[in-house]
């Protein structure tokens, strides 16, 4: 049955997140971007909302609520509406924790998940992206070679969110087992920060999302026990994992875009030129109406993919549509946001110049957030 | 609960409509090239298809809402062909939507079975209906309205059994004076003046009407409210309300055809060995595959905006904004999609051996009729900016 209806619970969560995003994330976003630093107090406030732990099993100290990619997509839109950078950081524990919850063996869940139900912010990191400009997640250059009762990982990773502080990295690698190709060959390994052969680079300097610390990883014949292969002998459903990260990206981009639109509307109504508000001129009004059309389009594509994930059907295609569509439109919306503000759009006093950088950064990334 | 899957019944209905639509597709080229012919009321295969309405009656709470499934049925129909349909008189004209939205229960009962066209545009007014010159004058002695005026671009105007038209009770009252009237064919003084020759949707006729001292019963005023509101545009808003289902439906007409264009393009590309699988990032795709998937995503987005507007209607939520969003998105989307499909297939795309070039022509009207894309953007902009007509025009 086709339905756009939120559950009562989702309505409540959305309202609460919107308020939090407006009151906490929005004001903190600019200073964090300028300082290229995550504000610890804000992150702790986020942690206290239990966004990640709520959906982890009770047996590992979680809230025991059902995993809901739809609810998470709704939350991510709101967080990014406040600030895309802080929103991404806020949701980052889920990158590691949800993957372990969804695909991990019982032992893996017992070992790694309780920390995400604790009192203090606990960083999780997923290493997907690689330095090559022709990155393709179905053809990873980082490899995992079976060797007795362990695996040997080799390769390089980039843009590993929260990698400066994570205790463990969930590293995606292509299994050298030649029987499988594409997503079937993708495995995930839990690699401790102090593993021999792993070097963690300095915090990367990026165009946008500067509040979010990202690092590169170099894996030189890093040997991990077979028990660290996520999902044990069964491995993971990599197509589903990646679809989840794509949907999360689309949700963040939707929130970012809505932020631009809702900032531009009052600005264009206040700013006067040639005797009337610039919003009264079709050239400007139509930029805004187009933003409205596309924000909704992005949101429905995101929800559709999220609902397929939630129902356990193949969401690969819907997730690709959502993420690519959102990437294109978010960039266009942020671009027009700068244009609506004119010269002021170029000045760092207003957030649109930051959102313009955020949009370009976030829209080219994969595997940086999860639902 | 948010859900985008189809129920068993939804699927059954759509499968049925698609199989019927494929029959219409067989005749699509013929009627495109023989514009003067009207499609037969019953194609030779009609007996195999007793109609979707029986299936629609079996729907329950597990199934998509009636407006939502209505939009999907519309898309499935035009996926076969825009205007070649098995039977007429299925109550699917634009005038029927107006009747459904603005008519009294008695009026719906009386005229619901007819195929009704909708006449708004006049030689001197298109997107701005406040300029309507057609008049309706009440003759108190006979209890009749006397209609005088001209209407053009009336979709299905020749084949329709009747028309819902906009006429003014008082030109000096502006938009507030406009009311909808139902006029049945064969009423003296109502003349179908001519049939237009068009770029596309040729099997669906487009007519011009002339009304000369055309007398209709007093009860033919849709909704029955004869008074002119003193302030604002209340009455006019009532009239515009009828558009809340026709805007997404018009988008759905186009999106059925652009979906057909995509399906054909996919078939041809795959036959030519282009890998269209989805998992990889853009770097793992050929340029043709990347382009194709971009068009597919656009189709999905536009379809979802239509579903959204319809879902709101099913839940009694005002959907003026969402209707315009779906019309704007669908209208521009189908242009981009069909243009893009031809780009992908090259010479094959422009050949009249295939229907793609026809779909490219057929969809072009989507962004024009029932309010151009620009008009939709005006409505959207006014809504989100909280502006009146005077503040943004």
């Amino acid at each position: 049955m086709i339905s756009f209806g939120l559950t009562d619970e989702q309505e409540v969560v959305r309202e609460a997140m919107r308020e939090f995003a407006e009151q906490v994330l929005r004001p903190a976003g600019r200073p964090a971007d300028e300082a290229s630093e995550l504000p610890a107090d804000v992150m702790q406030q986020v942690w206290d909302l239990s966004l990640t732990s709520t959906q982890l099993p009770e047996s590992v100290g979680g809230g025991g609520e059902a995993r809901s990619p739809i609810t998470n997509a709704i939350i991510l839109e709101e967080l990014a509406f406040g600030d895309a950078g802080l929103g991404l950081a806020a949701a980052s524990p889920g990158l590691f924790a949800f993957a372990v919850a969804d695909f991990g063996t019982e032992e893996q869940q017992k070992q790694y998940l309780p920390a995400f139900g604790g009192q203090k912010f606990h960083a999780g990191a997923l290493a997907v992206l690689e330095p090559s400009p022709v990155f393709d997640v179905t053809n990873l250059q980082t490899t995992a070679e079976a060797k007795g009762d362990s695996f040997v990982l080799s390769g390089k990773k980039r843009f590993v969110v929260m990698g400066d502080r994570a205790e463990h990295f969930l590293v995606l690698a292509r299994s050298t087992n030649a029987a499988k190709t594409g997503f079937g060959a993708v495995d995930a390994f839990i690699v401790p920060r102090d593993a021999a052969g792993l070097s963690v680079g300095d915090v990367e300097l990026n165009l946008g999302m500067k509040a979010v610390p990202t690092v590169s990883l170099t894996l030189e014949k890093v040997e991990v026990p077979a028990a660290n292969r996520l999902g044990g002998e069964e491995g993971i459903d990599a197509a589903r994992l990646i679809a989840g990260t794509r949907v999360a990206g689309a949700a963040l981009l939707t929130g970012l875009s809505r932020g631009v639109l809702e900032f531009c509307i009052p600005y264009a109504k206040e700013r006067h030129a040639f005797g009337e508000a610039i919003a009264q001129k079709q050239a400007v009004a139509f930029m805004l109406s187009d933003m409205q059309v596309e924000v909704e389009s992005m949101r429905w594509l995101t929800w559709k993919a999220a609902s397929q994930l939630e129902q356990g059907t193949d969401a690969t295609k819907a997730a690709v549509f959502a993420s690519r569509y959102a990437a294109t439109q978010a960039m266009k919306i942020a671009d027009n946001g700068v244009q609506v503000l004119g010269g002021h759009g170029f000045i760092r006093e207003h957030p649109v110049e930051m959102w313009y950088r955020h949009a370009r950064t976030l829209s080219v990334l994969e595997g940086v957030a999860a639902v | 609960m948010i859900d985008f899957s189809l129920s068993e019944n939804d699927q059954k209905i759509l499968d049925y409509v698609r199989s019927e639509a494929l029959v219409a597709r067989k005749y699509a080229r013929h009627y495109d090239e023989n514009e003067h012919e009207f499609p037969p009321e019953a194609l030779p295969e009609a007996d195999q298809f007793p109609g979707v309405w029986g299936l629609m009656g079996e729907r329950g709470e597990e199934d998509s809402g009636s407006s939502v499934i209505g939009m999907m049925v519309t898309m499935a129909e035009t996926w076969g062909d825009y205007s070649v349909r098995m039977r007429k008189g299925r109550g699917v004209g634009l005038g029927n939507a107006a009747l459904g939205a603005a008519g009294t229960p008695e009026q719906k009962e009386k005229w619901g079975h007819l195929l009704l066209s909708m006449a708004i545009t006049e030689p001197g007014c298109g997107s701005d209906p406040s300029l309507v010159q057609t008049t309706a004058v009440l003759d108190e002695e006979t209890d009749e309205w006397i209609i005088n005026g001209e209407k053009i671009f009336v979709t299905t105007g020749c084949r329709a059994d009747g028309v819902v038209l906009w006429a003014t009770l008082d030109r000096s009252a502006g938009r507030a004076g406009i009311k909808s009237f139902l006029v049945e064919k064969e009423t003296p003084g109502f003349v179908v003046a001519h049939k237009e020759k068009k770029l596309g949707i040729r099997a669906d006729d487009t007519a011009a009407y002339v009304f000369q001292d055309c007398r209709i019963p007093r009860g033919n005023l849709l909704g029955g409210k004869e008074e002119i509101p003193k302030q604002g545009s209340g009455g006019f808003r009532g009239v515009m309300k009828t558009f809340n289902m026709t805007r997404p439906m018009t988008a759905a007409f186009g999106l059925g055809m652009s979906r057909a264009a995509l399906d054909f393009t996919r078939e041809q590309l795959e036959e030519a060995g282009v890998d269209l699988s989805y998992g990889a990032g853009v770097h793992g795709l050929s340029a043709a595959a990347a382009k194709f998937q971009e068009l597919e995503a656009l189709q999905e987005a536009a379809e979802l905006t239509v579903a959204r507007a319809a879902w709101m209607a099913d839940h009694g939520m005002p959907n003026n904004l969402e209707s315009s969003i779906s019309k704007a998105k669908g209208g521009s989307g189908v242009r981009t999609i069909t243009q893009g499909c031809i780009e992908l297939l090259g010479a094959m795309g422009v050949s009249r051996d295939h229907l793609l070039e026809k779909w490219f022509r057929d969809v072009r009207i989507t962004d024009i009729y029932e309010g151009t894309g620009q008009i939709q953007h005006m409505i959207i902009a006014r809504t989100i900016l909280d502006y009146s007509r005077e503040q943004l025009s």
Side-chain angles (χ1 to χ4, degrees):
Chain A
M1 172 180 52
I2 296 191
S3 169
F4 292 77
L6 273 62
T7 62
D8 291 346
E9 200 190 349
Q10 285 166 343
E11 293 276 11
V12 170
V13 169
R14 178 160 73 166
E15 229 16 77
M17 286 304 137
R18 181 169 301 182
E19 209 180 300
F20 180 78
E22 273 171 359
Q23 292 174 2
V24 179
L25 298 187
R26 180 65 64 86
R30 169 61 83 179
D33 188 77
E34 292 280 324
S36 290
E37 198 170 306
L38 268 184
D41 56 328
V42 171
M43 295 316 289
Q44 189 58 40
Q45 271 180 278
V46 167
W47 189 255
D48 294 340
L49 298 170
S50 306
L51 298 179
T52 308
S53 67
T54 304
Q55 290 182 19
L56 297 179
E58 278 176 7
S59 56
V60 296
E65 304 244 346
R67 285 271 294 114
S68 173
I70 296 176
T71 302
N72 289 338
I74 291 167
I75 291 171
L76 286 177
E77 178 185 332
E78 297 308 323
L79 292 176
F81 171 75
D83 184 77
L86 296 179
L88 175 62
S92 65
L95 268 173
F96 183 95
F98 290 152
V100 173
D102 291 350
F103 308 110
T105 62
E106 216 180 309
E107 292 76 41
Q108 287 166 342
Q109 296 194 22
K110 272 187 192 151
Q111 188 175 348
Y112 299 103
L113 292 182
F116 292 93
Q119 300 296 313
K120 289 281 168 210
F121 183 90
H122 187 74
L126 177 68
V128 178
L129 293 165
E130 297 179 344
S132 168
V134 290
F135 172 76
D136 174 1
V137 69
T138 61
N139 186 25
L140 295 171
Q141 300 306 299
T142 301
T143 54
E145 197 185 344
K147 182 186 163 195
D149 204 26
S150 59
F151 288 91
V152 179
L153 306 179
S154 303
K156 287 181 176 171
K157 293 290 178 181
R158 279 223 55 174
F159 218 94
V160 179
V161 172
M162 307 300 276
D164 63 330
R165 61 198 77 183
E167 287 172 22
H168 301 91
F169 299 97
L170 192 57
V171 177
L172 289 201
R174 179 166 48 86
S175 168
T176 50
N177 173 356
K180 293 174 181 171
T181 55
F183 278 126
V186 177
D187 263 314
F189 297 90
I190 299 163
V191 181
R193 191 178 189 91
D194 58 5
L198 171 68
S199 43
V200 181
D202 294 336
V203 170
E204 294 165 329
L205 302 176
N206 298 315
L207 166 72
M209 314 284 286
K210 283 157 59 183
V212 183
T214 72
V215 301
S216 59
L217 302 180
T218 305
L219 300 108
E220 283 177 77
K221 297 196 171 154
V222 175
E223 195 168 332
V224 293
N228 283 28
R229 182 190 183 201
L230 191 61
E233 284 183 15
E234 278 183 33
I236 59 167
D237 182 348
R240 184 178 164 84
L241 176 72
I242 291 300
T245 71
R246 285 171 176 166
V247 173
L252 288 167
L253 289 165
T254 305
L256 167 63
S257 302
R258 201 182 92 219
V260 174
L261 170 62
E262 291 190 18
F263 185 84
C264 286
I265 286 174
Y267 183 90
K269 288 179 79 171
E270 268 172 38
R271 175 83 184 178
H272 279 64
F274 306 105
E276 61 181 1
I278 60 169
Q280 289 176 269
K281 300 180 185 305
Q282 288 188 3
V284 174
F286 281 16
M287 276 197 267
L288 300 175
S289 65
D290 204 51
M291 288 182 195
Q292 176 78 30
V293 170
E294 298 307 348
V295 166
E296 297 213 2
S297 299
M298 291 156 83
R299 183 184 300 122
W300 313 142
L301 286 170
T302 304
W303 283 13
K304 179 167 181 176
S307 77
Q308 291 181 352
L309 283 171
E310 190 149 327
Q311 289 168 0
T313 53
D314 183 6
T316 304
K317 186 167 151 182
V320 162
F321 288 163
S323 64
R324 282 200 219 138
Y325 194 86
T328 306
Q329 294 304 331
M331 191 64 254
K332 191 173 124 194
I333 288 170
D335 189 25
N336 280 336
V338 172
Q339 198 66 19
V340 168
L341 268 78
H344 291 280
F346 201 74
I347 305 288
R348 299 221 299 272
E349 187 189 338
H350 293 288
V352 289
E353 73 79 27
M354 177 175 74
W355 291 337
Y356 181 61
R357 290 184 287 106
H358 282 351
R360 185 64 289 171
T361 306
L362 188 53
S363 59
V364 296
L365 301 176
E366 200 159 59
V368 295
V371 291
Chain B
M1 202 190 107
I2 293 168
D3 184 4
F4 294 92
S5 63
L6 297 172
S7 70
E8 217 172 287
N9 269 331
D10 291 345
Q11 192 62 57
K12 209 159 76 180
I13 289 167
L14 294 176
D15 287 347
Y16 175 90
V17 177
R18 285 206 189 95
S19 58
E20 187 178 338
L22 281 177
V23 176
R25 192 181 282 184
K26 275 172 48 181
Y27 297 89
R29 177 61 75 185
H30 174 84
Y31 288 106
D32 179 60
E33 292 185 346
N34 297 277
E35 198 172 9
H36 57 283
E37 275 182 40
F38 288 126
E41 290 183 17
L43 298 175
E45 294 87 343
D47 288 348
Q48 303 162 30
F49 297 95
V52 75
W53 303 111
L55 287 173
M56 293 286 261
E58 292 167 15
R59 290 164 45 253
E61 285 186 0
E62 299 298 300
D63 305 319
S64 297
S66 60
S67 300
V68 170
I69 193 73
M71 293 301 159
M72 298 180 75
V73 163
T74 300
M75 281 190 255
E77 281 180 334
T78 63
W79 174 80
D81 189 70
Y82 176 80
S83 42
V84 181
R85 308 259 168 89
M86 210 66 94
R87 281 160 301 278
K88 71 167 197 168
R90 289 206 271 169
V92 293
L94 290 170
N96 292 88
L99 176 66
T104 63
E106 297 75 36
Q107 289 174 330
K108 289 180 200 177
E109 174 73 28
K110 186 172 175 192
W111 297 308
H113 65 288
L114 300 178
L115 178 64
L116 299 173
S117 60
M118 181 93 200
I120 298 169
T121 303
E122 299 182 0
C125 92
S127 292
D128 180 3
S130 68
L131 299 175
V132 161
Q133 298 294 304
T134 300
T135 55
V137 177
L138 185 64
D139 182 341
E140 304 253 6
E141 283 181 22
T142 60
D143 258 355
E144 285 174 324
W145 296 101
I146 308 168
I147 311 283
N148 277 289
E150 279 179 63
K151 293 287 177 185
I152 60 169
F153 300 165
V154 183
T155 301
T156 331
C158 298
R159 274 194 290 160
D161 307 306
V163 57
V164 173
L165 68 88
W166 286 11
T168 176
L169 298 187
D170 178 3
R171 277 182 202 160
S172 67
R175 290 175 284 137
I178 296 172
K179 301 282 181 186
S180 306
F181 297 87
L182 194 138
V183 187
E184 290 183 63
K185 287 272 181 76
E186 313 300 332
T187 307
F190 174 12
V191 179
V192 178
H194 69 274
K195 187 177 166 182
E196 308 284 358
K197 293 175 182 163
K198 307 189 297 288
L199 169 71
I201 59 166
R202 290 179 180 168
D204 206 1
D205 67 86
T206 302
Y209 289 163
V210 173
F211 299 92
Q212 202 162 23
D213 292 329
C214 175
R215 287 173 170 268
I216 55 172
R218 191 167 184 167
N220 284 24
L221 189 158
L222 238 53
K225 290 188 183 128
E226 294 178 2
E227 66 280 4
I228 297 171
K230 288 270 187 295
Q231 287 177 326
S233 56
F236 187 77
R237 289 240 164 119
V239 175
M240 294 299 281
K241 190 169 157 248
T242 65
F243 272 44
N244 284 7
M245 286 310 288
T246 58
R247 275 176 265 160
M249 194 200 277
T250 306
F253 285 147
L255 287 165
M257 294 184 272
S258 56
R259 175 63 78 184
L262 284 170
D263 287 351
F264 175 73
T265 304
R266 161 186 291 284
E267 219 171 85
Q268 297 304 325
L269 288 176
E270 283 183 339
E271 203 167 298
V274 178
D275 179 6
L276 294 176
S277 57
Y278 295 91
V282 277
H283 296 306
L285 299 170
S286 65
K291 169 92 186 176
F292 180 77
Q293 292 180 5
E294 189 186 317
L295 298 176
E296 260 190 314
L298 175 56
Q299 171 82 23
E300 280 280 328
E303 285 183 13
L304 287 168
T305 62
V306 169
R308 170 72 181 178
W311 178 83
M312 292 183 76
D314 279 335
H315 287 77
M317 300 178 189
N319 68 349
N320 188 45
L321 172 64
E322 291 74 13
S323 292
S324 281
I325 286 176
S326 69
K327 176 67 169 65
K329 189 69 197 157
S332 67
V334 296
R335 292 162 63 185
T336 307
I337 292 163
T338 53
Q339 290 162 12
C341 285
I342 290 187
E343 186 185 325
L344 282 167
L345 296 187
M348 176 185 268
V350 294
S351 164
R352 278 161 62 176
D353 286 348
H354 304 288
L355 287 171
L356 179 53
E357 66 81 26
K358 176 180 177 296
W359 290 321
F360 163 81
R361 286 183 288 113
D362 285 349
V363 299
R364 188 60 185 83
I365 191 64
T366 315
D367 211 20
I368 299 170
Y369 65 176
E370 288 298 304
T372 60
Q374 288 66 37
I375 291 295
Q376 306 308 330
H377 274 282
M378 193 70 91
I379 294 169
I380 297 162
R382 278 188 201 130
T383 308
I384 63 175
L385 288 161
D386 196 19
Y387 273 164
S388 66
R389 234 170 208 290
E390 290 67 35
Q391 285 169 301
L392 178 61
S393 62

